[in-house]
Amino acid sequence: MVLDEHGGLFTFGSGAGGALGHGDTLGQEFPVKIMEFGKSRIQRNILLDCVQILNSQLFLVMLLQEHNNVRIHQMSAGVDMSMAVSTTGDVYAWGKASDGRLGLGLGKNEVTLPRKVDFGDADFKAVDVECSYVHAMIVGLDGSVYQCGGVGTDGQDDGQDFGELNDDRRGYPALLQGYNIWHRIAEPKEKIIKKEWSKYGKYELKGRSKMLQEGVRSIG
């Protein structure tokens, strides 16, 4: 992945899983710009008011051009998935999407074009993303850390640990409780139990030097 000075993102290499973000799974030998971040889209808005013409109702349809103009400032490439953060703090993901590893929900295997990730919080802004093999980590401006997908341990399958997530949030980024990169969270301190000296025979444990002195006197 290559980023230019204007926030344009270029990708090349293997296109497995749609990881290059060009709308297909083809590989590229040379950097190709991801046009999804800069192209215009046609959006249809239907006006609610109608005009009476010849005793029939005519609904006016307005064709409005919406320019994305998304500029990227940070990106990360995993094995067959990719993520990027825009200058406005939005996160986009594409590539292999199974098990919620892209944070785009469940039921998707491949996403060949960048899609905006939903955090369930309209005010959330990201500053960093890191993609791995079967999971990704996202850091927020407020220091919060989110995880997408998960690595199976102790014989468990890879995938997100749903834990206490609601059904409608499964496959989307999960907030890691107790983590904040801007603030150090107090570590639990081990309680130190002071042990009293024990007596053995006629001697009390008083330290090596004192015991040696008493031993020499007793021999003398």
Side-chain angles (χ1 to χ4, degrees):
M1 305 178 80
V2 179
L3 190 64
D4 68 18
E5 61 182 349
H6 303 294
L9 185 60
F10 297 73
T11 58
F12 61 103
S14 172
L20 296 185
H22 301 307
D24 53 42
T25 58
L26 302 176
Q28 298 290 340
E29 295 185 6
F30 304 98
V32 177
K33 187 174 184 178
I34 298 180
M35 301 306 297
E36 187 71 9
F37 289 129
K39 77 177 187 180
S40 298
R41 293 180 177 179
I42 299 298
Q43 187 177 40
R44 295 177 180 267
N45 293 330
I46 301 179
L47 297 181
L48 297 180
D49 295 333
C50 62
V51 179
Q52 296 291 336
I53 299 180
L54 298 178
N55 295 325
S56 64
Q57 292 183 342
L58 173 65
F59 289 90
L60 299 182
V61 179
M62 301 292 293
L63 299 182
L64 302 179
Q65 283 194 339
E66 182 186 75
H67 295 273
N68 285 345
N69 291 331
V70 175
R71 292 188 297 169
I72 302 300
H73 85 92
Q74 201 277 343
M75 69 286 190
S76 177
V79 175
D80 46 15
M81 65 184 199
S82 306
M83 280 188 171
V85 182
S86 72
T87 53
T88 57
D90 294 321
V91 176
Y92 294 85
W94 61 97
K96 190 172 182 179
S98 56
D99 302 319
R101 67 189 67 184
L102 289 182
L104 297 175
L106 301 176
K108 299 181 179 66
N109 291 324
E110 291 182 353
V111 177
T112 59
L113 290 171
R115 291 291 176 262
K116 190 174 178 179
V117 178
D118 176 19
F119 291 86
D121 180 2
D123 296 326
F124 176 80
K125 301 298 180 184
V127 294
D128 194 13
V129 290
E130 290 297 335
C131 293
S132 183
Y133 177 51
V134 293
H135 76 293
M137 307 298 291
I138 303 168
V139 178
L141 181 62
D142 58 359
S144 58
V145 181
Y146 285 79
Q147 178 175 324
C148 304
V151 180
T153 58
D154 299 328
Q156 297 181 352
D157 294 333
D158 295 332
Q160 188 180 38
D161 181 8
F162 296 136
E164 299 180 355
L165 289 177
N166 296 328
D167 291 343
D168 59 345
R169 293 303 303 168
R170 293 187 175 187
Y172 293 94
L175 176 65
L176 299 185
Q177 301 294 336
Y179 289 88
N180 191 291
I181 65 169
W182 306 134
H183 308 286
R184 180 175 179 179
I185 299 176
E187 298 179 1
K189 294 184 179 180
E190 182 180 357
K191 185 177 180 180
I192 300 177
I193 301 176
K194 186 177 180 180
K195 294 183 178 180
E196 300 293 337
W197 293 110
S198 302
K199 292 184 178 181
Y200 295 92
K202 68 176 182 177
Y203 291 105
E204 184 179 356
L205 297 181
K206 303 176 181 179
R208 186 172 178 223
S209 60
K210 193 169 183 179
M211 290 181 64
L212 289 175
Q213 292 176 2
E214 292 181 357
V216 172
R217 285 199 300 269
S218 64
I219 294 175

